[in-house]
């Protein structure tokens, strides 16, 4: 049986100990940063540093890359495993400046190589990206408008106005994502409901998804999104697994939904198309972005793909 704790989805499975008690201790953090073998993970404008030719993340020991610290706008403590790991934000530098500083790598969207990186490294890079994004978007106190400053190794921001002093914690946007299936009462083949957004590469179909709104349960968000986007009513929604998705700030909550009917009514503002597919049809789909495939599946690093692959494996004729 699938166990998301022992088989984490891509970008989950961070093995660093986050040390939430120790990171409140500034001298301790400073001491960790001073260690010559502390690991430094540079980021620039939401991109991670990768090898220009191979799917390989570039990070450095403090001894190798001491010079990076003076250029870093924000230094965040990610956690510890043998060494302490820190994310460094170089976003304020120009592209030319970061190239001069780190000529051995290229700042790249981690999703381009996400499925190819070692899982643990992908988790570290994604966590660094998500946390830094939050800092960049929350420079000012939302209560009084004064500048806020990172504290506790970057796991909170505190308002600099002493009369306010409000603490702000990293935010996540919960999104539900669901594979909806139809189980015919006559024992015929089961079908999965997939849709395509106009932003997808041509021919790509994916599970439906949407943000959870205030005042609804996750199951209700699943049912509402499927109804709004495809006009299909659900009779059940069962939680399957979740995935960190810091692109920029989501947690994807994966569900399996059971359709109460087959008729589809696509909301053209959200989707270009939605259809029912059999497991055999889906098995014949190509990979995301493959120009030679008439139909293709979502990217391999996504929970959407995991939900689809799981369903195909369950439903292929034996
Ligand atoms: Zn404030």
């Amino acid at each position: 049986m699938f166990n998301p704790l022992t088989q984490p989805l891509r970008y989950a499975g961070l093995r660093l100990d986050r040390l939430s008690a120790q990171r409140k201790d500034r001298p301790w953090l400073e001491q960790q940063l001073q260690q010559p073998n502390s690991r430094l993970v540079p980021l620039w404008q939401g991109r991670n540093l990768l090898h220009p030719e191979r799917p390989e993340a570039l990070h450095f020991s403090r001894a190798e890359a001491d010079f990076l610290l003076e250029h870093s706008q924000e230094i965040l403590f990610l956690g510890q495993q043998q060494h302490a790991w820190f994310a460094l934000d170089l976003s304020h530098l120009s592209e030319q400046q970061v190239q001069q500083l780190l000529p051995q790598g290229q700042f790249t969207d981690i999703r381009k190589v996400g499925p190819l990186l070692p899982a643990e490294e992908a988790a570290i890079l994604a966590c660094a990206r998500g946390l830094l994004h939050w800092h960049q978007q929350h420079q000012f106190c939302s209560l009084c408008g004064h500048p806020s400053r990172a504290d506790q190794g970057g796991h909170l921001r505190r308002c600099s106005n002493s009369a306010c002093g409000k603490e702000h914690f990293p935010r996540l946007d919960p999104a539900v994502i669901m594979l909806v299936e139809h189980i015919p009462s006559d024992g015929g083949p089961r079908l999965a409901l997939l849709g395509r957004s106009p932003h997808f590469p041509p021919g790509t179909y994916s599970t439906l998804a949407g943000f959870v709104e205030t005042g609804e349960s996750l199951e209700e968000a699943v049912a509402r999104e499927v109804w709004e986007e495809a006009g299909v009513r659900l009779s059940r929604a069962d939680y399957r697994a979740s995935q960190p998705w810091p692109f920029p700030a989501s947690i994807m909550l994966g569900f399996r939904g059971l359709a109460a009917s087959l008729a589809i009514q696509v909301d053209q503002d959200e989707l270009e198309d939605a259809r029912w597919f059999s497991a055999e049809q889906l098995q014949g789909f190509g990979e995301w972005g493959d120009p030679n495939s008439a139909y293709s599946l979502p990217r391999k690093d996504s929970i959407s793909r995991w939900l689809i692959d799981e369903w195909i494996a369950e439903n292929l004729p034996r």
Side-chain angles (χ1 to χ4, degrees):
M1 204 171 118
F2 170 68
N3 178 352
L5 271 183
T6 53
Q7 300 157 271
L9 272 69
R10 189 108 305 223
Y11 309 125
L14 185 77
R15 292 225 202 123
L16 302 183
D17 188 336
R18 295 168 184 253
L19 298 175
S20 49
Q22 283 98 320
R23 73 192 182 200
K24 292 178 182 160
D25 180 349
R26 274 189 213 171
W28 180 85
L29 269 180
E30 191 48 42
Q31 208 177 35
Q32 299 309 308
L33 186 60
Q34 296 304 331
Q35 301 300 316
N37 50 13
S38 283
R39 300 303 297 177
L40 306 178
V41 182
L43 283 106
W44 178 73
Q45 300 190 359
R47 300 182 200 172
N48 295 92
L49 189 66
L50 301 173
H51 192 283
E53 281 138 29
R54 298 192 296 272
E56 185 184 311
L58 298 182
H59 38 79
F60 310 96
S61 68
R62 158 114 201 206
E64 286 171 313
D66 204 39
F67 62 94
L68 285 178
L69 294 173
E70 64 181 282
H71 294 285
S72 301
Q73 204 172 21
E74 207 78 78
I75 299 173
L76 310 179
F77 174 69
L78 298 173
Q80 197 171 42
Q81 190 196 27
Q82 294 170 322
H83 321 297
W85 286 68
F86 293 90
L88 308 182
D89 186 13
L90 305 170
S91 298
H92 60 296
L93 301 179
S94 70
E95 193 163 6
Q96 200 185 4
Q97 283 171 318
V98 285
Q99 270 168 7
Q100 279 169 358
L101 209 56
L102 293 162
Q104 63 275 60
Q106 217 160 37
F107 283 97
T108 309
D109 182 341
I110 184 190
R111 280 170 294 179
K112 286 196 177 148
V113 292
L116 305 172
L117 291 173
E120 209 175 315
E121 214 160 42
I124 292 174
L125 264 60
C127 174
R129 184 194 199 277
L131 197 54
L132 263 185
H133 175 82
W134 175 73
H135 282 276
Q136 286 162 352
Q137 301 288 312
H138 294 82
Q139 298 281 306
F140 297 91
C141 176
S142 56
L143 217 57
C144 74
H146 279 71
S148 62
R149 297 206 180 93
D151 198 2
Q152 299 189 4
H155 294 266
L156 73 79
R157 292 187 73 86
R158 202 184 302 280
C159 177
S160 62
N161 171 9
S162 57
C164 173
K166 169 87 177 159
E167 293 180 339
H168 301 274
F169 292 90
R171 309 312 300 180
L172 289 177
D173 300 327
V176 286
I177 181 157
M178 44 280 173
L179 185 137
V180 174
E181 67 178 341
H182 183 260
I183 304 178
S185 52
D186 62 3
R190 297 182 177 197
L191 300 170
L193 176 67
L194 302 184
R196 58 169 279 106
S197 143
H199 311 296
F200 290 170
T204 302
Y205 281 78
S206 180
T207 52
L208 305 186
F211 288 108
V212 181
E213 294 194 354
T214 304
E216 65 184 355
S217 69
L218 300 180
E219 293 80 1
E220 287 165 344
V222 169
R224 175 184 53 75
E225 283 290 341
V226 175
W227 170 247
E228 284 176 2
E229 292 188 0
V232 172
R233 291 285 188 199
L234 295 192
S235 56
R236 277 192 72 87
D238 295 304
Y239 175 74
R240 295 293 298 121
S242 65
Q243 181 185 37
W245 198 247
F247 311 113
S250 287
I251 169 94
M252 304 303 289
L253 305 153
F255 281 78
R256 174 79 64 90
L258 181 60
S261 59
L262 267 175
I264 293 173
Q265 176 91 40
V266 173
D267 172 7
Q268 298 288 346
D269 286 341
E270 299 253 5
L271 294 179
E272 197 175 270
D273 188 26
R275 293 186 205 177
W276 294 103
F277 295 100
S278 69
E280 277 172 299
Q281 283 175 312
L282 292 176
Q283 198 193 23
F285 278 28
E287 286 300 331
W288 167 278
D290 176 0
N292 300 316
S293 296
Y295 292 97
S296 43
L297 293 172
R299 39 198 330 153
K300 270 188 176 167
D301 58 352
S302 65
I303 188 170
S304 174
R305 178 61 174 271
W306 179 83
L307 288 165
I308 295 170
D309 284 346
E310 180 195 50
W311 188 83
I312 295 174
E314 278 173 27
N315 288 287
L316 276 180
R318 285 159 210 267

